[in-house]
Amino acid sequence: MEEPFEILEHTADVGFRVRGASAAELFENAARALVSFTQEDRSGATERVVELRGDDYESLLVNWLSEVLYLVDSGEFRPHRFQVERISPYQLRARMIGEAGPAQWRLIVKAVTYHQIEVKEEGGRWEATVYLDV
Amino acid sequence: MSSLADRLEQVGDYRWRILRDERLGMRTDVVVYASKEILVHIAKDKSLEQAANVATLPGIVGPSLAMPDIHQGYGFPIGGVAATDWEYGVVSPGGVGFDINCGVRLVRLNLRREDVQPRIRDLVGEIFHAVPCGTGGKGHIDITNKQLEHVLAEGAGWMTRNGYGQERDTECTEAGGALPGADPDAVSERAKERGRPQIGTLGSGNHFLEVQFVQQVADEEAATAFGINEGQIVVLIHSGSRGLGHQVCTDYLQQMGAAMKKYNITVPDRQLACVPVQSPEGKSYLAGMRAAANFAWANRQGITHFLRQAIAKVFGKGAQASVIYDVCHNIAKQESHLVEGRKREVLVHRKGATRAFPAGHREVPQDYRRIGQPVFIPGSMGTASWVLAGQPGAMEETFGTTCHGAGRLLSRTAAQKGKDYRSVLRGLEEAGIHVKSETKAGILEEIPEAYKDVDAVVEVVHRAGIARKVARLAPMGVIKG
């Protein structure tokens, strides 16, 4: 199956462009793009629910990906599946499926940046661009 | 191609300027240090636009500066320097970056190239085992939450007092290995959770540890003062504040949006978010940033400790490893500088730029004071690195700052394109460089072709009188994430 994201070029760092049929799917796919930098482990079935806020879709996306990054890099939880249950430009509620414990990074992601960040919707197609500091 | 490239005018040897343009919101000029050849590379990406964006920061003092290793970053260019007024200016977490106090430590060994060459595989293997990269989570140092509070307040000094080094290590570290004004309470629980198991780990990306020999001495007096001579072995450690620093920056950027509305500040790029230095938000960020900087020094101290263990294992207890110096290249520091003949208190943001104080400065350790502060410029994997010394020109023009590395040319994906892991490794082996990496991508992304020529970058700062050449170092062994 074709991945719903593509990795982008940037001199110092790395980015991805992600698509979705809805804002919820866009955010789910963006989280998948982020965890693609780890050795993926699809074994866990533990659920974790998060609720987050933002000033707009862009900051909500940075906060959402930063949440996933924190869980992975702190060794607290390694999610492999994401379900965004509720989303508006200002908040989201999502369920993550995975397992407690550290993940193995392929390339350690330091942080999610606001650099050239964009979330847009055109005719029901959602697309976002995100750059990561690695 | 940068749209600002045709606005560059030469204003001296190796100096180029883009005049302040009010339509772009610039409050000051951009000054670029580069040769004509390097300028061609700089004009290819968005670094000049980013340097012009930095020139819009409220309270910026002097020009927005670009070092010859400048390349496109996020918000600030990497290789960018900006001083802001301590009373009326802003602090921008993006001007420091996510990897707070990413930096370089150089350690000299009482071993020579001929002692190490036959055992380089053993040495690299031992170091690789002793100094984890941290891609799988944790390192070899277990500290409690209480101990972490001490690390955040006391930096490398806490490590040396607790069995991870020697007192002299901190004397030979920028700021003595601990910035005053660090507040562990300004660091979130999340940042502490991320960082606590990572102390003493290298990280991945461009972080590495390299066994090198002194290939050529350019300044005999300075090299003698730094304790190095031709053929001697040194080890270069390039790492930062790991997950702790990354989370501190993430946390404060999250708060900046609302704070900027409160202070009525607008910036051309969200990653340039900033608040007044003297605002509660600005003070809190600086207190947290300093704590993260102290964590980074403790991290490099932990790495030094494990490096010494690995060296002793291979070469016995007679092998000594002494810290020459330790510099940070992602930081914001309160400093006094003469600006247009007037002494001013400023906050110097160094984003991929290294402090380079000249001879006589009181912050240069006593042993080096008549020479100038040691500066280390790592090249790319498999190429040379340089030891420099700060020059008076840095104080006159660049807020006591020089370059920090070779500067990337190719993106990570472009670097990997058409390259085969085995043939890259074989090429390095044939050049006498033994590499051990946690990941294949770690090798391919950092190939020499991905970077500018470090010799050309160093030539610019040497000729511009910012930092002078002391010694060229050539690699023998590389440990990477």
Side-chain angles (χ1 to χ4, degrees), chain A residues 67-98:
Chain A
E67 179 76 18
V68 175
L69 173 58
Y70 164 73
L71 292 172
V72 172
D73 198 48
S74 64
E76 203 175 309
F77 191 67
R78 49 171 191 272
H80 60 83
R81 204 146 58 85
F82 305 91
Q83 290 172 310
V84 174
E85 296 177 337
R86 271 206 313 270
I87 187 163
S88 79
Y90 310 109
Q91 53 187 321
L92 74 73
R93 179 189 154 90
R95 194 176 295 275
M96 304 183 198
I97 319 291

Side-chain angles (χ1 to χ4, degrees), chain A residues 9-13 56 58 63 66-67 70 73 103-106 108 110-115 133-134, chain B residues 50 72-74 78 98-99 135-136 190 193-194 198 204 246 254 270-271 408 410-414 439:
Chain A
E9 305 258 333
H10 182 270
T11 318
D13 294 296
D56 47 33
E58 281 82 6
N63 293 351
S66 298
E67 179 76 18
Y70 164 73
D73 198 48
Q104 180 75 34
W105 285 108
R106 288 192 298 115
I108 298 176
K110 292 176 183 169
V112 183
T113 80
Y114 281 95
H115 178 68
D133 189 359
V134 295
Chain B
Q50 292 187 331
Q72 183 179 324
Y74 29 85
I78 298 165
F98 287 100
D99 200 356
T135 48
R190 289 199 146 196
E193 278 304 309
R194 257 179 99 174
Q198 296 179 348
S204 73
H246 315 157
Q254 244 170 41
R270 264 178 121 151
Q271 195 65 38
R408 278 196 89 95
L410 298 180
S411 70
R412 288 165 202 276
T413 33
T439 60

Side-chain angles (χ1 to χ4, degrees), chain B residues 226-474:
Chain B
F226 296 167
I228 51 174
N229 52 52
E230 273 181 20
Q232 189 173 349
I233 297 294
V234 293
V235 176
L236 187 144
I237 300 163
H238 181 205
S239 187
S241 50
R242 307 288 285 104
L244 186 134
H246 315 157
Q247 190 67 37
V248 166
C249 186
T250 298
D251 293 339
Y252 281 97
L253 276 177
Q254 244 170 41
Q255 301 169 16
M256 289 277 154
M260 283 177 57
K261 276 185 201 146
K262 183 167 133 191
Y263 300 112
N264 201 21
I265 298 173
T266 53
V267 284
D269 180 341
R270 264 178 121 151
Q271 195 65 38
L272 273 181
C274 55
V275 288
V277 175
Q278 298 301 336
S279 66
E281 295 87 350
K283 286 179 178 169
S284 180
Y285 166 70
L286 282 173
M289 180 214 69
R290 292 178 186 126
N294 293 350
F295 182 86
W297 274 312
N299 184 37
R300 291 198 285 277
Q301 186 61 46
I303 292 170
T304 307
H305 171 73
F306 293 124
L307 168 71
R308 284 181 170 134
Q309 287 183 342
I311 292 166
K313 226 168 174 176
V314 180
F315 293 100
K317 292 238 181 293
Q320 299 291 318
S322 317
V323 175
I324 298 177
Y325 201 61
D326 178 314
V327 289
C328 48
H329 53 225
N330 279 356
I331 199 82
K333 284 173 104 175
Q334 181 187 1
E335 292 172 6
S336 298
H337 286 276
L338 270 180
V339 182
E340 289 164 3
R342 193 158 66 92
K343 191 176 163 190
R344 288 183 68 171
E345 211 58 12
V346 290
L347 183 68
V348 184
H349 297 74
R350 297 190 177 100
K351 174 75 191 81
T354 317
R355 196 186 73 176
F357 283 171
H361 198 288
R362 62 185 166 79
E363 284 201 42
V364 179
Q366 205 51 259
D367 288 352
Y368 309 144
R369 200 164 290 172
R370 65 196 167 79
I371 303 293
Q373 179 210 305
V375 173
F376 311 123
I377 311 297
S380 54
M381 182 181 65
T383 65
S385 298
W386 279 90
V387 178
L388 310 178
Q391 286 279 74
M395 291 314 270
E396 291 155 17
E397 295 182 35
T398 59
F399 297 98
T401 311
T402 188
C403 57
H404 89 305
R408 278 196 89 95
L409 280 179
L410 298 180
S411 70
R412 288 165 202 276
T413 33
Q416 292 194 45
K417 225 167 255 171
K419 290 283 182 310
D420 167 57
Y421 171 71
R422 284 179 196 284
S423 64
V424 170
L425 268 192
R426 203 179 320 119
L428 289 165
E429 280 300 336
E430 281 165 8
I433 305 159
H434 183 61
V435 183
K436 217 162 159 53
S437 173
E438 191 80 36
T439 60
K440 286 182 185 178
I443 302 269
L444 292 173
E445 288 165 7
E446 302 294 317
I447 52 166
E449 303 95 288
Y451 286 82
K452 288 176 201 158
D453 174 8
V454 70
D455 294 340
V457 167
V458 164
E459 195 65 29
V460 171
V461 295
H462 177 79
R463 290 189 181 268
I466 291 170
R468 73 182 187 279
K469 295 188 217 173
V470 175
R472 190 175 194 266
L473 313 172

